[in-house]
Amino acid sequence: GFFTSHQKRRVEYFKDRRVVQQFVGECPTDYPFVRDLKKPVTIGAHMSGDDFINNHFQQSEAMYHAGEVFQEVAAEYAKLSGREYP
């Protein structure tokens, strides 16, 4: 088995699923889904060297900008849930 120190922590959840759904938003429909068996997509396909480097550069840029967005989303979540994750 696998044991972690947080297995014994109490789980807190929202009593009203609609509150969570309102925070998360509707599921986007403007791109193919992995779960749509009639329209299969490839995830994690092989990339050549140039594409691989470009992809990692874009991921890096996105991560640097994510810190700015996190502060806004974290404040909104704290207001909604009463919980903060600094």
Side-chain angles (χ1 to χ4, degrees):
F2 181 77
F3 182 81
T4 60
S5 61
H6 39 279
Q7 278 181 322
K8 296 180 180 181
R9 295 186 77 185
R10 185 178 61 148
V11 175
E12 295 181 25
Y13 58 92
F14 289 89
K15 291 182 173 130
D16 187 352
R17 185 180 188 282
R18 291 175 293 184
V19 173
V20 176
Q21 193 61 49
Q22 184 178 6
F23 177 75
V24 173
E26 295 299 320
C27 186
T29 59
D30 58 342
Y31 59 89
F33 290 101
V34 174
R35 65 181 183 259
D36 186 351
L37 299 177
K38 295 179 182 176
K39 297 178 185 174
V41 295
T42 301
I43 305 295
H46 173 75
M47 292 184 191
S48 65
D50 291 340
D51 289 335
F52 184 76
I53 295 296
N54 185 38
N55 182 274
H56 278 266
F57 173 76
Q58 290 178 22
Q59 286 178 341
S60 176
E61 290 294 300
M63 290 303 291
Y64 284 118
H65 294 296
E68 302 162 8
V69 177
F70 174 78
Q71 298 301 324
E72 296 172 24
V73 175
E76 183 182 344
Y77 182 77
K79 185 176 176 181
L80 175 73
S81 68
R83 292 179 256 176
E84 293 186 47
Y85 299 95

